[in-house]
Amino acid sequence: MNYWLMKSEPDAFGLDDLAARPDGTEPWDGVRNYQARNMMRDDMRPGDQILFYHSNCAVPGVVGIAEVASEAYPDSTAFDPEAKYFDPKSDPEKPRWYLVEVRYVRHLSRTISLAELKAHADGALAGFPLVRNGNRLSVMPVTPEQWEFILGLESEAEAGS
């Protein structure tokens, strides 16, 4: 099993939106970065676990857990001229963009903020792409150790309150 972090703006599509979908599942469409596309297309597998991250909001951070619910397949929004993510250079015969479906697992008991994650950038989260300056990828890998550490922060704060 692999672990991932996927970013979304809560005003566009947040964890509550995912939880409200039928079966808690939604195609993760609109990714238009080759590195993120390659991870979804080549490395993600059903059952992989996802840290769901809210970005571009008052308190950016990890808000919940989801899982990969499908193998990657072509992102049809790339072929639809009416779609927000239309790409005129994408061809259904040779797709350029892919997506996976993601399924809601749970909300965290609290948001683990970006500031809190960055506080561990020289320690347990050294090398974690999210805490590096200038990282704007919407999909990134998480090591099993980083996954455990981040989820440990959720319960650490609860124990301290």
Side-chain angles (χ1 to χ4, degrees):
M1 177 184 339
N2 292 311
Y3 299 94
W4 306 94
L5 181 138
M6 297 176 87
K7 292 182 189 177
S8 186
E9 296 178 9
D11 290 345
F13 187 84
L15 187 62
D16 290 339
D17 297 308
L18 180 61
R21 292 296 194 257
D23 300 322
T25 303
E26 180 77 2
W28 200 264
D29 62 8
V31 172
R32 297 298 181 263
N33 172 284
Y34 288 108
Q35 188 176 1
R37 182 238 18 218
N38 291 348
M39 285 184 268
M40 290 195 318
R41 183 190 66 195
D42 303 337
D43 301 323
M44 285 188 174
R45 298 291 173 260
D48 285 0
Q49 299 295 289
I50 300 164
L51 294 171
F52 199 105
Y53 182 92
H54 281 170
S55 63
N56 199 24
C57 56
V59 180
V62 177
V63 296
I65 299 173
E67 68 182 7
V68 177
S70 74
E71 294 286 341
Y73 59 90
D75 182 345
S76 63
T77 64
F79 315 129
D80 180 0
E82 303 299 315
K84 179 179 178 181
Y85 301 113
F86 174 62
D87 179 355
K89 295 181 180 176
S90 195
D91 176 356
E93 297 301 315
K94 190 176 178 189
R96 178 180 288 196
W97 303 111
Y98 285 76
L99 60 78
V100 295
E101 293 178 15
V102 297
R103 180 179 300 117
Y104 173 82
V105 173
R106 72 175 179 91
H107 279 72
L108 296 186
S109 60
R110 67 179 189 88
T111 299
I112 300 171
S113 71
L114 177 59
E116 188 175 353
L117 296 169
K118 283 187 171 188
H120 299 281
D122 292 329
L125 296 180
F128 185 43
L130 183 70
V131 299
R132 287 189 211 134
N133 286 336
N135 189 304
R136 303 204 27 96
L137 282 179
S138 62
V139 176
M140 59 191 69
V142 178
T143 67
E145 295 79 17
Q146 293 163 344
W147 176 272
E148 291 299 324
F149 181 81
I150 292 167
L151 290 184
L153 293 172
E154 176 188 25
S155 58
E156 222 174 74
E158 290 170 354
S161 42

